Amino acid sequence: MACDLAVVGLGYIGLPLAQRACAVGLSTVGYDVSAPVVEGLAAGSSHVDDVSDGEVAAMGAAGFRATTDPSVLAGAGTIVVCVPTGLSAAGDPDLDSLRAAIADVAAQLRPGTLVVVESTSHPGTTEEIVRPALERGSGLTVGEDFHLAYSPERIDPGNSSFTMSNTPRVVSGCTPLCAKHAVAFYGRLVDTVVVARGTREAEMAKLLENTYRYVNIALVDEVALFCDKMGIDIWDVLHCAATKPFGFTAFSPGAGVGGHCIPVDPRYLAVKAESEGFSFDMLSAARQVLGRMPRHVVQRVAGLLEAQGRPLRGARVLLLGVTYKPDIADTRESPAFAVAALLRAGGAHVSYHDPYVPSFDCEGTPLSRRADLAGALADSDLALLLQDHSCYDPTLLARAQCPVLDTRGRTAGVRVTRL
């Protein structure tokens, strides 16, 4: 069946793209290798924070359908690949999902199709990996028989101010004509299209955006470590510095970094640099600082408990918020995993409260979920605020019977200690 768009990978990138395409009137299909994802969408259920069940129903009414059958790609005028590109167990870039998706696309590719990759990867991926695989698998030639482009995703889960439509979109093509087709496609979805010189520039821009955040978060984390040593209030320091109307961008310290981009993208850049004989010293330093933060937080927990005459071993520690950012359900790369593991290694009994996360495992062991926040605070020896969900009333935390360690600088009180 012919359609305007086929989206490969219906996760945090692909499903919002498909939803936006349906909203502007593009006939759209989705392909995903996960049967539960496809079945859930068919039942009108969304698994992504930024797309509601109602929006999934509206997509279905507009003709959208999801499938695990790659043959659906054959009838699409444009195919956009939105599969995850994370890290392996060893912490190295993992392009297995991208390679598999491209193989599926190549097998169904038809002349005249525009193929766009949105998945994040190192500079050179489109030209050195995607292009040869598509040409080899299809027998077609980029720039002559079909068009190939790269456009890095800019999804920020939970951000209601900057959505797909009003966030400028960077696009690039393997040839000027490829780029022209990509501009025409994204021009229907977003308000502003920015054309990069080439695919390598667009790929590098994506890595720079998140590496910038990675490095600056590491900087403010290290400043927080120093301030703790000196007895300086880091949160007041940040408040004062942020009043400067130029030359300073505020970043907040915490237990670490999480999500699908910030902990991952710098690793892609570092590994690619190493393969080219270049060393990103700043990335190495940032990685060391960020890697120390979970242990620092646990040491602060142990210190607060000892001040109450209670050792960490046997203490009941309540984690408040285990997602990687506030008011979403996404736990990918959340520092809560490392903090929980270190607490349990120290002998603490760890439970958690998070209205967005029905279950949370620590190294294969499910943690006890507390539904009643007030009750959980009442029978814990210490509460650790890891994520500042809007449901966490600062007044309630300030009145908690147990000590509270606030890693987000959100509240204050006699029994509250801030990172």
Side-chain angles (χ1 to χ4, degrees):
M1 182 180 71
C3 63
D4 296 320
L5 171 65
V7 178
V8 180
L10 297 171
Y12 281 82
I13 304 170
L15 190 59
L17 173 65
Q19 189 274 328
R20 176 62 180 163
C22 290
V24 301
L26 298 181
S27 56
T28 305
V29 298
Y31 166 58
D32 199 290
V33 296
S34 171
V37 165
V38 169
E39 292 165 2
L41 292 172
S45 176
S46 174
H47 58 288
V48 172
D49 288 300
D50 289 338
V51 180
S52 67
D53 290 350
E55 287 172 323
V56 170
M59 291 168 67
F64 175 80
R65 67 185 181 94
T67 180
T68 57
D69 182 1
S71 66
V72 73
L73 304 177
T78 298
I79 301 172
V80 182
V81 178
C82 303
V83 296
T85 47
L87 300 176
S88 67
D92 294 323
D94 183 359
L95 295 179
D96 287 351
S97 294
L98 179 60
R99 294 179 189 275
I102 294 303
D104 287 338
V105 172
Q108 306 296 331
L109 194 57
R110 300 292 183 266
T113 304
L114 168 65
V115 179
V116 185
V117 177
E118 289 198 5
S119 305
T120 303
S121 187
H122 59 75
T125 298
T126 303
E127 287 283 0
E128 298 166 9
I129 297 176
V130 176
R131 179 175 183 167
L134 288 176
E135 292 184 330
R136 182 172 58 251
S138 68
L140 303 176
T141 301
V142 166
E144 297 178 12
D145 303 312
F146 72 99
H147 310 289
L148 177 60
Y150 179 76
S151 179
E153 59 87 9
R154 278 179 166 172
I155 296 292
D156 186 17
N159 190 331
S160 59
S161 298
F162 290 101
T163 62
M164 184 174 295
S165 62
N166 68 354
T167 300
R169 171 69 70 151
V170 174
V171 302
S172 62
C174 290
T175 68
L177 184 58
C178 291
K180 183 177 180 179
H181 279 270
V183 168
F185 169 69
Y186 283 102
R188 300 186 64 178
L189 304 179
V190 303
D191 299 336
T192 304
V193 175
V194 180
V195 183
R197 182 174 181 176
T199 59
R200 289 159 61 90
E201 284 76 12
E203 290 162 339
M204 186 65 201
K206 171 62 176 179
L207 295 187
L208 177 59
E209 291 170 15
N210 287 318
T211 298
Y212 168 83
R213 297 169 67 189
Y214 183 82
V215 169
N216 278 281
I217 292 170
L219 171 62
V220 79
D221 274 344
E222 192 159 39
V223 171
L225 295 174
F226 175 72
C227 286
D228 177 50
K229 186 177 182 66
M230 294 290 294
I232 298 171
D233 186 342
I234 178 60
W235 303 100
D236 191 56
V237 171
L238 291 169
H239 166 72
C240 293
T243 62
K244 185 178 180 181
F246 55 89
F248 181 82
T249 300
F251 289 84
S252 297
V257 293
H260 62 299
C261 288
I262 298 179
V264 176
D265 294 1
R267 188 60 184 154
Y268 274 75
L269 181 56
V271 170
K272 181 61 175 178
E274 291 167 6
S275 72
E276 298 291 332
F278 184 88
S279 175
F280 265 108
D281 296 335
M282 187 170 290
L283 288 186
S284 299
R287 190 180 186 192
Q288 291 178 15
V289 172
L290 292 167
R292 284 168 26 204
M293 292 310 293
R295 187 167 296 279
H296 173 70
V297 168
V298 171
Q299 288 171 347
R300 293 291 302 276
V301 168
L304 289 173
L305 287 168
E306 289 173 6
Q308 302 291 319
R310 182 181 297 277
L312 178 62
R313 182 167 298 279
R316 297 164 298 177
V317 178
L318 174 68
L319 305 184
L320 300 178
V322 294
T323 61
Y324 84 88
K325 66 181 298 187
D327 297 329
I328 65 170
D330 196 345
T331 61
R332 285 177 296 175
E333 306 296 330
S334 171
F337 288 107
V339 170
L342 290 168
L343 287 169
R344 294 183 72 249
H349 300 296
V350 183
S351 61
Y352 81 100
H353 176 277
D354 195 312
Y356 300 95
V357 183
S359 62
F360 188 76
D361 291 355
C362 175
E363 298 179 324
T365 300
L367 297 188
S368 173
R369 186 192 188 200
R370 304 299 301 271
D372 175 19
L373 177 56
L377 290 170
D379 59 19
S380 294
D381 297 313
L382 182 141
L384 174 57
L385 181 66
L386 291 176
Q387 195 50 262
D388 50 344
H389 293 319
S390 57
C391 66
Y392 293 139
D393 180 5
T395 302
L396 176 64
L397 297 182
R399 294 175 177 172
Q401 298 178 30
C402 67
V404 176
L405 176 59
D406 177 3
T407 71
R408 311 308 302 172
R410 187 162 182 226
T411 189
V414 176
R415 299 181 67 80
V416 175
T417 301
R418 298 197 292 182
L419 184 67

